[in-house]
């Protein structure tokens, strides 16, 4: 495994719509391993392909005991809402409030191309949304929440 350089905001790759992964080979496995190591080293909870210079639909998310490697992920269900602080390894020194679903179900492929589906809540759901946005060239601050106070349990 190796650390990869994290692309910083201002780079055009962060604004690209990424293409789907079609080859489930050793190169993909190595990339996912490197992304995991790079994310942990940077103390993040998620990292997406374009953040390491690869405009492909791949992301890793790690929150507590949950580690996800998502290839071609799609949010197939979402419910509830949460408003909370977000930041990004590609946007150092910046954070803002973003509204996200409280619960999401994500369909994706694993590194071998096997179909997977998982339901996540809270921070894990937030991280999945944030990373999947990266695959469409969307950064968290594009979605800055500017609304008023809302009850957290709604
Ligand atoms: Co990010």
């Amino acid at each position: 495994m190796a650390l990869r350089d994290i692309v910083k905001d201002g780079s055009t790759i962060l604004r690209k719509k990424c293409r789907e992964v079609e080859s489930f080979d050793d190169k993909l496995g190595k990339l996912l391993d490197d992304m995991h190591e790079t994310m942990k080293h940077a103390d993040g909870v998620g990292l997406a392909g374009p953040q390491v210079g690869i405009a492909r639909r791949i992301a890793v998310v790690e929150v507590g005991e949950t580690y996800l490697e998502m290839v071609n992920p799609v949010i197939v269900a979402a419910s509830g809402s949460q408003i909370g602080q977000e930041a990004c390894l590609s946007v150092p020194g910046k954070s803002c409030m973003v509204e996200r679903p409280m619960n999401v179900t994500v369909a994706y492929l694993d590194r071998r191309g096997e179909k997977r589906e998982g339901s996540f809540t809270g921070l894990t759901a937030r991280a999945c949304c944030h990373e999947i946005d990266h695959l469409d060239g969307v950064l968290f601050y594009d979605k800055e929440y500017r609304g008023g106070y809302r009850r957290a349990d709604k």
Side-chain angles (χ1 to χ4, degrees), residues 6 11 13 28 48 71 102 107 109 128 146 152:
I6 297 177
S11 173
I13 196 168
L28 176 66
V71 179
M102 181 56 84
L109 303 175
C128 287
R146 297 170 184 277

Side-chain angles (χ1 to χ4, degrees), residues 51 88-89 130-131 134:
Q51 293 184 275
C88 178
L89 296 176
H130 177 120
E131 299 315 323
H134 271 298

Side-chain angles (χ1 to χ4, degrees), residues 17 24 27 30 35 38-39 45 50-51 66 73 87 89 99 108 120 146 149 151:
K17 184 164 174 69
F24 296 83
K27 199 175 158 199
K30 166 96 171 81
M35 285 173 65
T38 303
M39 177 192 73
V45 297
Q51 293 184 275
T66 303
L89 296 176
E99 182 171 14
Y108 57 97
F120 310 104
R146 297 170 184 277
Y149 178 75
R151 284 170 56 129

